[in-house]
Amino acid sequence: MKALLLAGGYATRLRPLTERVAKPLLPVGGRPMVDWIVDKIVEAGIADELHLVTNDVYASAFERWGETRDVTVWNDGTSSNEDRLGAIGDVRFAIEHGGLAGDDLLVIAADNLFEFSLRDYVAFWRAKGGSAIAVHRLPDPSLASLYGVVELDDADRVIGLEEKPEHPRSDLVSTATYLFHRDHLPVLERYLDDGNPPDPPGRFPRLVVPA
């Protein structure tokens, strides 16, 4: 299994904080935010390679950081919010340039702080087969319309995914932490080639959810 961190966005809503520093490199608890995610992956012992994809604006900073964490950094070549590849486009970029097509893939947003165990998540995924998405149950269901809402059946199988619905049908939301079986990765190529939107990342898992 390979791990891929997504850091290709420009976090325009956080400017001026992110004009010079990428959101995942902002300090949390005295360390770059993304450090905490890498710690989780390393502690779980689930991936034999760590990759991160970012844009041309922040690439040099991530490359310096990556040298300290044994993370391979990929520059997608974009330089603004207007020409960004989008999260799904960046996944394809990293797969193509990093030679990741033949591996199962753990994909995590690089600004996504979480407390759950990745080792437990991978164990769940292996027991179920296929691909998986980590979800969080909101303590306040009225907030569900702000997130990607996930519906599950009694066997924990995803039966519905909807981005920021006006009338949510569940209080479970996506945490932008995905486990893709290697057999599902070619679907991503077809999804983008068909002209589908490259953002948000929750759009792509819908393709491997049965109608």
Side-chain angles (χ1 to χ4, degrees):
M1 178 184 293
K2 305 295 188 286
L4 174 63
L5 301 175
L6 301 179
Y10 292 85
T12 54
R13 289 176 293 181
L14 288 180
R15 289 180 179 172
L17 278 177
T18 53
E19 284 181 352
R20 297 181 180 273
V21 181
K23 182 181 176 183
L25 292 176
L26 291 173
V28 173
R31 306 169 63 199
M33 188 185 310
V34 67
D35 261 359
W36 298 101
I37 303 172
V38 172
D39 284 354
K40 285 274 195 180
I41 297 170
V42 172
E43 289 167 5
I46 53 176
D48 53 19
E49 290 181 13
L50 276 70
H51 297 256
L52 180 145
V53 60
T54 186
N55 55 60
D56 193 54
V57 174
Y58 302 127
S60 59
F62 275 114
E63 286 164 359
R64 290 192 297 272
W65 165 83
E67 290 174 358
T68 70
R69 298 305 312 258
D70 196 24
V71 176
T72 301
V73 175
W74 300 99
N75 179 355
D76 70 11
T78 70
S79 58
S80 73
N81 204 47
E82 287 66 40
D83 69 346
R84 70 188 187 280
L85 299 185
I88 303 172
D90 272 337
V91 173
R92 176 167 70 172
F93 183 92
I95 290 172
E96 291 177 348
H97 290 79
L100 309 180
D103 295 280
D104 300 321
L105 193 61
L106 169 67
V107 178
I108 305 176
D111 59 354
N112 181 19
L113 293 177
F114 54 88
E115 296 181 350
F116 63 85
S117 164
L118 287 177
R119 186 182 289 113
D120 290 346
Y121 179 37
V122 170
F124 168 86
W125 164 74
R126 286 180 172 148
K128 296 291 185 178
S131 294
I133 178 172
V135 299
H136 172 69
R137 189 178 300 278
L138 292 173
D140 182 356
S142 68
L143 299 176
S145 61
L146 301 175
Y147 301 93
V149 174
V150 182
E151 293 180 83
L152 304 178
D153 65 15
D154 292 339
D156 293 325
R157 186 177 181 83
V158 176
I159 57 173
L161 277 164
E162 192 173 7
E163 286 292 333
K164 299 179 180 179
E166 184 177 354
H167 302 291
R169 293 182 291 186
S170 168
D171 60 356
L172 296 173
V173 297
S174 167
T175 64
T177 305
Y178 310 97
L179 274 164
F180 292 117
H181 190 281
R182 66 193 69 185
D183 291 345
H184 286 160
L185 295 181
V187 180
L188 182 148
E189 190 83 20
R190 296 195 296 272
Y191 171 89
L192 291 173
D193 287 346
D194 287 344
N196 291 295
D199 262 326
R203 291 182 181 272
F204 172 60
R206 289 205 309 239
L207 294 184
V208 295
V209 173

